[in-house]
Amino acid sequence: MEKLTFYAVSAPEKLDRIGSYLAERLSRDVVRHRSGYVLIAMEALDQLLMACHSQSIKPFVESFLHMVAKLLESGEPKLQVLGTNSFVKFANIEEDTPSYHRRYDFFVSRFSAMCHSCHSDPEIRTEIRIAGIRGIQGVVRKTVNDELRATIWEPQHMDKIVPSLLFNMQKIEEVDSRIGPPPSPSAADKEENPAVLAENCFRELLGRATFGNMNNAVRPVFAHLDHHKLWDPNEFAVHCFKIIMYSIQAQYSHHVIQEILGHLDARKKDSPRVRAGIIQVLLEAVAIAAKGSIGPTVLEVFNTLLKHLRLSVEFEANDLQGGSVGSANLNTSTKDNDEKIVQNAIIQTIGFFGSNLPDYQRSEIMMFIMGKVPVFGTSTHTLDISQLGDLGTRRIQIMLLRSLLMVTSGYKAKTIVTALPGSFLDPLLSPSLMEDYELRQLVLEVMHNLMDRHDNRAKLRGIRIIPDVADLKIKREKICRQDTSFMKKNGQQLYRHIYLGCKEEDNVQKNYELLYTSLALITIELANEEVVIDLIRLAIALQDSAIINEDNLSMFHRCGIMALVAAYLNFVSQMIAVPAFCQHVSKVIEIRTMEAPYFLPEHIFREKCMLPKSLEKHDKSLCFLTNKIAESLGGSGYSVERLSVPYVPQVTALFPSGKKPHKPRHKRKDEDRLSRRKSIVDTVSIQVDILPNSIPSDDVVSNTEEITFEALKKAIDTSGMEEQEKEKRRLVIEKFQKAPFEEIAAQCESKANLLHDRLAQILELTIRPPPSPSGTLTITSGHAQYQSVPVYEMKFPDLCVY
């Protein structure tokens, strides 16, 4: 060998003939099973290859690779291992110039086949598999760095290489999954363990992937997991994609996420557990990529997940509708539970993804999800719910709000306007999201996430009478101008939502706890002196509604409202630290403790609490009195004039008496929904326009208007009238923009009462139509006798309005 090596180095032009001769001898010895001579010939080829690096080595390499292929084709395991070892040595040699015509298709196929060896002897089988993995690793190292010879990334090669590596990783994974995570392998274990060696090779392959060939390396992973049904359970799938996400370059992470989303779309009709397995893999991938470059796929991720959430709810609804008795019903129940697994996995993924986004993207995602929530009376949601039905629609509302809750968790906006813009707040506080107690809970929790900018919510958890609020060490800052403007614009909407939410008949303890937290957070984060007065008015109105009980609530709900009011007034009195106010609240709570403990949250929300039979006989000392509160706050400089005006939610301004008519709950809600779509300015201004300036007496009916030329001329010339109407409309709008809401509501209520009385008087009349247009109209009433007048001379100012 020394002489041969010296001769080859001295005369490199002879390498071609040397290689051809050794190849001929080796081929003959392989056929004749002369293993000793084969070993000698391969050792000679290896040493010549390592020693010679001249330009004329190219033909020699061809002979060498031809001989390696001969060894790999033989059925002898030792010769296959020998050929693999020689190829690995060759793969580690850096050639000066690439050989563009050389291809490694045969070696990829042969090494991949060796990775799936099924030899009867376990030791030999392991040895052949290790050789196959090392051969693949050699092919990758030899070809992957050369951009002009990147044929290894072609799909026909990746479809062989990647499954071969995953197959060996999977075998050991099945054993390790039963006994816990394996210890970190030593260097010797890496050489002897096919799984460890295959994982290292897989990592190396992915680490060398570029933008153009990333997808070719990832897609065979999905095919392998599908073929071997590894999505349920999905431990190995999660393990694979963790390797992928940690191995590839960070800027390519979104490619992998897109591939997972695409595969989820392709398998949307598979069993729920398969879909849940894919979604959990997506969660793991997103968890790793969340801090990296995922910008291009943010909306695509959420859009795909929400689409599959709708599909899951639709499948669940169809299963419930198609379920029958017996075994079929049991099967439906199992599918229902599986679909809930899918839905929970989607919500976790949405929440984790959203919570790791920067604030500007998270606010967009919040709007995006809220735009998907089906809201009654609007067409803004973009989710197809035509196939869901009422139960499915409620289910999708709950799922989307849970997703929104996850996204808003931990979100800290500098101003509340940023966190709760009108386009987000309006659908969030929609009456259609108040029809179910669980929906109301989710809406309130979302609001808490966005309002609580100083992490005070945990200190307020649970509804209780707090002896000393100072012990909670509540963090707060001075209310900024933007927050003050927000409350002027949206405060009434928040109050109304809380007011109506307290009076819902399906409330449970958690609802009252969340409503109490809402009031407390508004006080901490958004309350100036004016807002504090409004909140106290709201609390007193809730107390009055519980006592009067116009909505026919149960005794538990009435006592729950009373307890809520007590807990909040105790909190707000200590927050504003007015001694006389605190003294009045403490006195009422003390009397309740002795005489009516069911008016306090610590008692009413226990499992067993004795409820009173009625609330009408209770003394005023058990109630918080408006005059006492006004007196105490007025002495401390508060403007308490508005305390004398009872709080009325915007919706009740539509009724003359200030009270809603008794109607079924769903009809009341429908009217409520419709009334929300008009601003209070529009609603009240319409009322003002229809009210007469003065209520005419009964004899106005007989008055006639003389029709003259001048009157007709004035009627035709309407330009002056239009100017007057414009000026009148401008004054009305200006009044409703600048005047306090309570003043407008009180004025409209008094006028509406007069209008209501007048309308009742008019509608009591009995009207008989005349026999002909030129005849007379006879009007009689039980209260008065009216003169018959010609039809064309009649004038009913009030009646014409209606």
Side-chain angles (χ1 to χ4, degrees):
M1 279 306 305
E2 290 178 2
K3 292 179 180 181
L4 181 61
T5 303
F6 177 77
Y7 176 72
V9 172
S10 302
E13 68 276 4
K14 300 294 185 180
L15 272 173
D16 185 16
R17 293 182 62 188
I18 295 172
S20 299
Y21 173 75
L22 288 174
E24 183 182 351
R25 288 288 306 268
L26 191 64
S27 298
R28 187 167 61 245
D29 293 335
V30 169
V31 173
R32 295 177 180 178
H33 301 285
R34 295 178 179 177
S35 300
Y37 290 105
V38 172
L39 294 175
I40 293 173
M42 284 308 299
E43 185 177 352
L45 286 169
D46 291 343
Q47 291 191 22
L48 289 173
L49 193 63
M50 299 295 292
C52 302
H53 293 277
S54 64
Q55 294 292 330
S56 57
I57 199 174
K58 301 300 180 185
F60 176 78
V61 170
E62 297 301 325
S63 299
F64 170 78
L65 293 177
H66 177 69
M67 286 316 306
V68 171
K70 284 286 185 183
L71 294 179
L72 295 177
E73 283 181 330
S74 68
E76 293 290 335
K78 290 183 179 180
L79 296 183
Q80 293 178 356
V81 173
L82 177 64
T84 301
N85 292 337
S86 297
F87 182 84
V88 171
K89 292 176 184 179
F90 164 71
N92 291 328
I93 297 175
E94 294 186 6
E95 300 184 51
D96 295 334
T97 56
S99 178
Y100 303 118
H101 67 280
R102 190 185 304 157
R103 297 184 64 86
Y104 297 92
D105 299 7
F106 168 79
F107 295 100
V108 170
S109 300
R110 192 59 199 162
F111 288 138
S112 299
M114 291 170 63
C115 289
H116 292 83
S117 174
C118 297
H119 198 281
S120 57
D121 189 342
E123 293 184 1
I124 295 176
R125 180 171 65 242
T126 300
E127 188 177 7
I128 295 175
R129 288 185 179 180
I130 290 176
I133 297 169
R134 293 179 66 236
I136 289 177
Q137 193 173 28
V139 172
V140 171
R141 289 176 179 176
K142 194 65 178 175
T143 60
V144 79
N145 290 329
D146 191 353
E147 295 181 359
L148 298 178
R149 195 179 63 239
T151 57
I152 191 68
W153 295 108
E154 293 177 359
Q156 64 265 28
H157 298 321
M158 286 291 105
D159 290 344
K160 297 174 184 176
I161 292 174
V162 174
S164 300
L165 299 176
L166 295 178
F167 176 76
N168 285 276
M169 292 165 57
Q170 173 192 349
K171 291 299 181 182
I172 196 67
E173 181 76 16
E174 291 176 355
V175 178
D176 292 339
S177 62
R178 302 189 192 101
I179 60 176
S184 55
S186 61
D189 291 336
K190 290 181 181 179
E191 292 297 328
E192 297 177 0
N193 192 335
V196 176
L197 188 61
E199 183 175 322
N200 291 337
C201 182
F202 190 48
R203 291 179 186 274
E204 183 177 350
L205 175 68
L206 294 168
R208 296 174 184 267
T210 60
F211 180 84
N213 48 46
M214 171 61 62
N215 293 341
N216 290 341
V218 175
R219 285 171 184 165
V221 178
F222 293 104
H224 180 82
L225 296 175
D226 289 342
H227 180 70
H228 292 276
K229 300 180 180 179
L230 297 175
W231 295 112
D232 178 32
N234 67 338
E235 288 82 4
F236 180 71
V238 171
H239 180 65
C240 287
F241 277 92
K242 281 184 177 180
I243 293 174
I244 293 172
M245 296 303 295
Y246 281 120
S247 299
I248 62 175
Q249 301 179 44
Q251 64 267 30
Y252 302 148
S253 298
H254 63 277
H255 279 287
V256 180
I257 295 175
Q258 283 179 327
E259 290 295 325
I260 299 175
L261 292 173
H263 195 68
L264 181 60
D265 284 337
R267 303 297 299 271
K268 64 183 178 182
K269 294 185 179 180
D270 280 25
S271 66
R273 291 188 174 273
V274 170
R275 286 181 280 127
I278 299 174
I279 294 168
Q280 287 169 357
V281 167
L282 177 64
L283 173 61
E284 296 294 338
V286 164
I288 297 170
K291 300 298 184 182
S293 174
I294 53 176
T297 60
V298 170
L299 284 180
E300 183 182 354
V301 169
F302 284 98
N303 194 36
T304 303
L305 289 174
L306 293 177
K307 180 177 68 175
H308 284 276
L309 184 62
R310 181 192 62 80
L311 285 174
S312 178
V313 173
E314 184 177 334
F315 292 153
E316 183 182 11
N318 291 338
D319 290 339
L320 289 174
Q321 293 174 1
S324 57
V325 297
S327 59
N329 196 14
L330 181 62
N331 189 26
T332 300
S333 177
T334 305
K335 288 183 180 180
D336 182 33
N337 294 333
D338 291 345
E339 290 296 344
K340 285 184 172 58
I341 295 174
V342 176
Q343 295 161 14
N344 291 332
I346 292 175
I347 291 172
Q348 288 179 359
T349 306
I350 289 175
F352 193 89
F353 198 0
S355 61
N356 282 280
L357 291 174
D359 287 345
Y360 73 93
Q361 278 188 330
R362 204 194 300 199
S363 60
E364 292 178 359
I365 295 305
M366 288 158 45
M367 296 293 297
F368 182 74
I369 297 177
M370 197 66 230
K372 299 283 186 180
V373 178
V375 175
F376 179 87
T378 66
S379 58
T380 56
H381 62 86
T382 57
L383 211 61
D384 182 15
I385 59 171
S386 57
Q387 305 296 326
L388 295 180
D390 292 340
L391 183 62
T393 301
R394 175 188 171 277
R395 184 72 177 161
I396 197 67
Q397 287 175 329
I398 291 175
M399 294 292 107
L400 290 172
L401 288 176
R402 285 180 58 191
S403 304
L404 187 62
L405 181 63
M406 294 283 286
V407 173
T408 56
S409 178
Y411 180 62
K412 296 290 188 299
K414 293 183 179 180
T415 61
I416 197 67
V417 181
T418 307
L420 287 170
S423 56
F424 180 83
L425 185 64
D426 290 342
L428 182 66
L429 299 183
S430 168
S432 67
L433 298 182
M434 295 185 67
E435 295 180 349
D436 182 84
Y437 75 95
E438 191 173 356
L439 289 174
R440 297 196 299 276
Q441 292 174 7
L442 292 170
V443 168
L444 291 173
E445 287 176 336
V446 169
M447 289 176 53
H448 296 171
N449 281 346
L450 299 174
M451 283 185 185
D452 186 21
R453 292 170 287 177
H454 299 89
D455 298 322
N456 292 312
R457 185 172 34 164
K459 304 170 186 177
L460 302 169
R461 186 165 294 145
I463 179 171
R464 64 194 187 281
I465 303 296
I466 303 173
D468 189 357
V469 175
D471 293 341
L472 300 180
K473 298 180 180 179
I474 290 175
K475 300 177 183 178
R476 64 184 306 191
E477 296 178 3
K478 186 177 180 180
I479 308 302
C480 65
R481 186 171 59 184
Q482 292 89 340
D483 290 349
T484 302
S485 176
F486 172 84
M487 287 305 293
K488 285 184 178 179
K489 184 177 180 181
N490 302 296
Q492 295 298 328
Q493 193 175 3
L494 294 174
Y495 304 151
R496 174 176 165 274
H497 185 82
I498 294 173
Y499 180 82
L500 297 179
C502 289
K503 298 171 69 175
E504 293 293 341
E505 58 192 21
D506 59 343
N507 280 339
V508 295
Q509 178 179 347
K510 185 177 179 180
N511 290 88
Y512 292 113
E513 292 177 354
L514 293 173
L515 289 163
Y516 163 75
T517 305
S518 300
L519 290 168
L521 286 176
I522 294 175
T523 306
I524 296 170
E525 298 287 348
L526 303 169
N528 54 15
E529 183 175 312
E530 182 179 349
V531 173
V532 167
I533 296 297
D534 286 337
L535 291 171
I536 294 174
R537 291 176 57 239
L538 173 62
I540 297 300
L542 286 171
Q543 175 183 260
D544 294 343
S545 69
I547 296 174
I548 300 173
N549 195 25
E550 294 178 346
D551 295 307
N552 296 322
L553 296 175
S554 67
M555 187 58 65
F556 168 77
H557 293 94
R558 296 172 69 184
C559 293
I561 294 174
M562 298 290 283
L564 169 65
V565 172
Y568 174 67
L569 289 180
N570 172 72
F571 176 81
V572 72
S573 64
Q574 297 185 53
M575 286 296 294
I576 63 177
V578 176
F581 186 21
C582 293
Q583 184 177 2
H584 172 63
V585 172
S586 299
K587 183 178 179 181
V588 173
I589 292 175
E590 183 180 353
I591 296 174
R592 287 187 179 187
T593 304
M594 294 183 295
E595 299 182 10
Y598 39 78
F599 283 171
L600 298 176
E602 291 84 355
H603 294 270
I604 188 61
F605 294 126
R606 292 187 306 185
E607 292 185 3
K608 295 181 180 180
C609 177
M610 297 295 295
L611 297 175
K613 295 182 179 180
S614 67
L615 303 182
E616 285 72 16
K617 298 180 181 180
H618 284 78
D619 189 11
K620 286 187 177 181
S621 61
L622 295 175
C623 299
F624 302 98
L625 303 178
T626 304
N627 57 348
K628 294 281 187 181
I629 297 175
E631 181 181 347
S632 61
L633 293 179
S636 297
Y638 280 81
S639 178
V640 296
E641 291 81 6
R642 288 166 51 245
L643 275 177
S644 59
V645 181
Y647 169 78
V648 178
Q650 294 178 5
V651 64
T652 58
L654 297 173
F655 301 99
S657 63
K659 301 178 183 179
K660 290 188 293 183
H662 180 70
K663 291 186 179 182
R665 180 176 171 182
H666 67 279
K667 291 189 177 180
R668 282 188 282 134
K669 285 180 178 283
D670 290 344
E671 291 181 355
D672 189 21
R673 296 188 195 102
L674 294 174
S675 66
R676 283 187 72 260
R677 300 177 64 182
K678 299 179 181 178
S679 68
I680 186 64
V681 175
D682 296 336
T683 303
V684 181
S685 63
I686 290 173
Q687 292 179 345
V688 173
D689 289 339
I690 68 173
L691 290 174
N693 293 329
S694 60
I695 303 300
S697 57
D698 292 339
D699 59 358
V700 173
V701 177
S702 61
N703 289 344
T704 62
E705 181 179 355
E706 184 179 1
I707 301 177
T708 63
F709 175 77
E710 291 296 329
L712 292 174
K713 182 178 179 182
K714 289 181 180 179
I716 295 173
D717 185 12
T718 59
S719 59
M721 296 293 293
E722 290 179 356
E723 292 296 329
Q724 293 179 7
E725 289 296 328
K726 287 182 181 179
E727 180 64 19
K728 180 181 177 182
R729 193 177 299 111
R730 187 188 65 80
L731 293 175
V732 170
I733 293 175
E734 184 178 354
K735 176 182 179 181
F736 280 97
Q737 286 178 341
K738 296 181 179 180
F741 172 78
E742 292 76 14
E743 179 183 342
I744 297 170
Q747 181 181 1
C748 292
E749 184 177 359
S750 62
K751 290 186 178 182
N753 289 334
L754 294 175
L755 178 63
H756 181 263
D757 296 339
R758 184 61 178 166
L759 176 62
Q761 180 182 1
I762 292 174
L763 294 181
E764 287 180 2
L765 303 177
T766 303
I767 301 176
R768 293 194 301 273
S772 65
S774 60
T776 58
L777 181 66
T778 304
I779 303 174
T780 59
S781 172
H783 302 285
Q785 182 69 35
Y786 294 89
Q787 181 182 1
S788 299
V789 295
V791 174
Y792 59 86
E793 293 182 354
M794 277 184 53
K795 182 180 179 185
F796 279 112
D798 302 79
L799 189 57
C800 291
V801 170
Y802 293 99

